[in-house]
Amino acid sequence: MAALENGARGVVPVATPGEAYAWRAAAEPVLLGGERGAKRIPGFDLGNSPLEYVRERVAGKLIVLTTTNGTLAFRRVLAAGPEGGQGPELIAACLRNAQAAARHLWQRAVSSDRGVLVVCAGTNGWFSAEDAYCASVLLDCLAACGPLEPGDGARAVMRLGALAAPPLAELSSSRHGQTLLRLGFAADMDYCAQISVSETVPRFNAGVLVAAGGPYDTGSPAGVPSVDGESVAGEPAPAGPA
Amino acid sequence: MAALENGARGVVPVATPGEAYAWRAAAEPVLLGGERGAKRIPGFDLGNSPLEYVRERVAGKLIVLTTTNGTLAFRRVLAAGPEGGQGPELIAACLRNAQAAARHLWQRAVSSDRGVLVVCAGTNGWFSAEDAYCASVLLDCLAACGPLEPGDGARAVMRLGALAAPPLAELSSSRHGQTLLRLGFAADMDYCAQISVSETVPRFNAGVLVAAGGPYDTGSPAGVPSVDGESVAGEPAPAGPA
């Protein structure tokens, strides 16, 4: 999200470092970003710290991003969407854009008569306290837009949210937060713990995350990135850009 | 669990009604039990109501059971277990046996130096409030056995448990509870809402759930039921008993 906030043209989430290298090998200039085990990948231009994605580096650029959990979650949601026709709109939300994301979702849900599905990426397949906390903040923002009919999961998350400590304490007390602090990413946590300070809502536009309503948003549906599907959970694949 | 409490020899969870029919077609006499959409399956001996599994019907019998959510959860855990060698011990817990299940798990976890993984079956792939509530009661019982190191998910569930209404109210307010009440299963809910009234701990013994420490428990590891794996999420398969 930091990339789009700072003027990046778009962010392409890919599953593996191999796919990212393949994008760089293609004609168009791209920046490679991402992490494995919270650390920058060899040969990559950027890591996973949002503080690296400053305007001077990312403005006007296409970023190819591979992270351990978020990318996979995007892929799975896209793959699970209805086939053919107009797929669901898929956006990215975090604490920093919670209110803007909620307003966007609410507007789309009302105008399309569709529900909202909140998907937590988790950490290596496990429940993540910071995800649930972020979901609770998003759901509170949605509830402020109008009447909600939450399912069991949403209700549970909202109950948990009502018990939450202040944002930074909540993030720091999670398992993953503890890991990040140990690795020296305290400044990232400060940045990520700021609630509703950003109006940027990343949305999928034909396989690329762009700022909703921004200059690179053509209004296309979500789409599935045109890379080899086999590579999502497996080995690096020699897949190229769209 | 009601079946094992009332003297059934064992319970074989199968994925589809087709697999259950195949078991009946085999030599050994079995009772078929289960539901689809909370209703008894055509030609089956028993539905999904624990109140049907009375001693007169089930004592000494082998029950072949197919339910929408629980069976699939068992299969997935078994399939995800370490290959070869001694697999994890797999038990079934609910409100009725929470304390006995926790004592059993604690003993095994301490003696094997392994952790405990609590898996909620969910409802048709969705988070279930009654599952999370049951997990919270089980975790509280585990915490009463000795010091726990809960992960993010366990901590969240325990926090939710601390906010829970009395058991029957908690079950009734869940989405699935509402469905059951609408279908006339209020007596089942009363039965299921009783906490720690049973000492029966169903454990997997070579693919069959038996009462742990009971006459049919041979101490074998969990094992994977010897049915066609392809049928787990797919069509009825002509698979036979072990």
Side-chain angles (χ1 to χ4, degrees):
Chain A
M1 214 194 75
L4 296 178
E5 236 172 49
N6 289 321
R9 192 151 69 78
V11 175
V12 185
V14 300
T16 63
E19 279 181 69
Y21 295 134
W23 274 81
R24 183 156 63 186
E28 202 177 1
V30 294
L31 290 177
L32 306 192
E35 52 76 36
R36 282 298 179 273
K39 299 200 188 89
R40 187 193 295 196
I41 298 165
F44 271 41
D45 306 296
L46 298 152
N48 196 38
S49 165
L51 301 176
E52 294 181 48
Y53 290 72
V54 292
R55 187 164 290 275
E56 300 74 54
R57 295 212 67 182
V58 303
K61 302 272 175 56
L62 188 66
I63 318 282
V64 176
L65 185 73
T66 178
T67 64
T68 314
N69 305 299
T71 310
L72 202 58
F74 281 137
R75 294 298 196 85
R76 288 192 172 153
V77 174
L78 285 171
E83 291 188 68
Q86 180 85 11
E89 191 188 45
L90 180 55
I91 70 158
C94 60
L95 292 180
R96 290 179 61 82
N97 74 349
Q99 198 169 82
R103 272 200 307 261
H104 183 93
L105 288 171
W106 186 266
Q107 213 167 40
R108 299 299 169 105
V110 168
S111 68
S112 68
D113 205 21
R114 270 181 169 160
V116 171
L117 177 65
V118 180
V119 177
C120 294
T123 304
N124 303 325
W126 294 92
F127 179 95
S128 249
E130 70 276 17
D131 278 4
Y133 173 62
C134 179
S136 79
V137 172
L138 180 67
L139 285 163
D140 286 345
C141 290
L142 273 171
C145 294
L148 280 193
E149 287 175 35
D152 279 3
R155 277 202 302 152
V157 154
M158 291 171 88
R159 272 195 194 180
L160 283 172
L163 295 179
L168 189 58
E170 197 61 34
L171 297 189
S172 307
S173 69
S174 70
R175 282 264 165 123
H176 187 57
Q178 293 284 314
T179 305
L180 287 178
L181 286 177
R182 235 182 356 258
L183 294 171
F185 290 109
D188 284 4
M189 307 248 312
D190 289 339
Y191 177 88
C192 293
Q194 293 176 283
I195 293 188
S196 298
V197 293
S198 169
E199 289 298 313
T200 301
V201 178
R203 79 177 276 276
F204 263 98
N205 188 145
V208 182
L209 279 165
V210 300
Y216 305 107
D217 185 2
T218 65
S220 297
V224 176
S226 59
V227 291
D228 181 8
E230 287 304 299
S231 65
V232 168
E235 292 300 301
Chain B
M1 213 194 74
L4 296 178
E5 237 172 50
N6 290 321
R9 192 150 70 77
V11 174
V12 185
V14 300
T16 63
E19 277 180 72
Y21 295 135
W23 274 82
R24 182 155 65 188
E28 201 177 2
V30 295
L31 290 177
L32 306 191
E35 52 77 35
R36 283 298 180 273
K39 298 200 189 88
R40 186 192 296 196
I41 297 165
F44 271 41
D45 306 298
L46 298 154
N48 196 39
S49 165
L51 302 176
E52 294 181 49
Y53 290 72
V54 292
R55 186 164 292 275
E56 300 75 54
R57 296 213 67 181
V58 303
K61 303 274 175 55
L62 189 66
I63 319 281
V64 177
L65 186 72
T66 177
T67 63
T68 313
N69 305 299
T71 309
L72 202 59
F74 281 137
R75 296 298 196 85
R76 289 194 172 152
V77 173
L78 284 170
E83 290 187 69
Q86 182 84 10
E89 191 188 45
L90 180 55
I91 70 157
C94 60
L95 292 180
R96 290 179 62 83
N97 74 347
Q99 199 169 81
R103 273 198 308 260
H104 183 93
L105 287 171
W106 186 266
Q107 215 167 38
R108 300 300 170 106
V110 168
S111 69
S112 68
D113 204 21
R114 268 180 171 163
V116 171
L117 177 65
V118 180
V119 177
C120 293
T123 304
N124 304 323
W126 295 92
F127 178 94
S128 249
E130 71 276 17
D131 278 5
Y133 173 62
C134 179
S136 79
V137 172
L138 180 67
L139 285 163
D140 285 345
C141 291
L142 273 170
C145 294
L148 280 192
E149 289 175 34
D152 279 2
R155 278 202 303 152
V157 154
M158 291 170 88
R159 272 195 193 181
L160 282 173
L163 295 179
L168 189 57
E170 199 60 35
L171 297 188
S172 308
S173 69
S174 70
R175 282 266 165 122
H176 187 58
Q178 293 284 313
T179 304
L180 289 178
L181 287 177
R182 238 186 348 261
L183 294 170
F185 290 108
D188 285 5
M189 307 251 310
D190 289 339
Y191 178 87
C192 293
Q194 293 175 282
I195 292 187
S196 299
V197 293
S198 169
E199 290 297 313
T200 301
V201 178
R203 78 177 276 276
F204 264 98
N205 188 144
V208 181
L209 279 164
V210 300
Y216 305 108
D217 185 2
T218 65
S220 297
V224 176
S226 60
V227 291
D228 181 359
E230 287 304 298
S231 65
V232 167
E235 291 300 300

